[in-house]
Amino acid sequence: MAIYKFERHLKCSSDSVYDTVLPAGSIAARSGIYRCDGCGFELTALEGQPLPGLDHHKHIASQKLIRWRLIVADSGAPGAIDPGAGAFNPVSRARRY
């Protein structure tokens, strides 16, 4: 289970990207923490890069195949960018506290 200390740095989202279950070797939809739905193994993946394949870790029969679900996305998460803002600009998205 992903762990955090400061709740103010996280935002809840109901975006469907978190409902999508990806088979082993699929391309990561977003950068963030992915969890295997079968065994709970977690890892960090970059958007556009392949998630680990079937040879990454072993499952027992009851856990079925390795399948990945995004559980925490980085700041490029769905809804984090104003759709009318145009191209990605990390400076414009920076938060000031």
Side-chain angles (χ1 to χ4, degrees):
M1 176 173 291
I3 301 171
Y4 66 92
K5 183 173 182 178
F6 300 108
E7 185 175 338
R8 69 180 181 264
H9 297 300
L10 297 176
K11 178 181 176 184
C12 186
S13 172
S14 59
D15 193 291
S16 62
V17 72
Y18 298 101
D19 301 323
T20 304
V21 178
L22 301 169
S26 295
I27 301 301
R30 302 279 190 230
S31 295
I33 300 171
Y34 284 78
R35 178 182 179 92
C36 177
D37 267 1
C39 68
F41 183 86
E42 295 173 351
L43 54 77
T44 303
L46 296 175
E47 181 176 350
Q49 298 298 311
L51 293 164
L54 294 173
D55 59 345
H56 182 259
H57 64 281
K58 300 293 181 198
H59 277 192
I60 57 173
S62 64
Q63 295 171 326
K64 301 181 183 174
L65 293 176
I66 296 170
R67 53 219 183 273
W68 300 106
R69 181 187 306 263
L70 179 66
I71 60 170
V72 178
D74 70 5
S75 60
I81 300 173
D82 178 1
F88 171 72
N89 181 345
V91 175
S92 68
R93 289 193 351 210
R95 295 185 183 189
R96 291 168 179 56
Y97 295 98

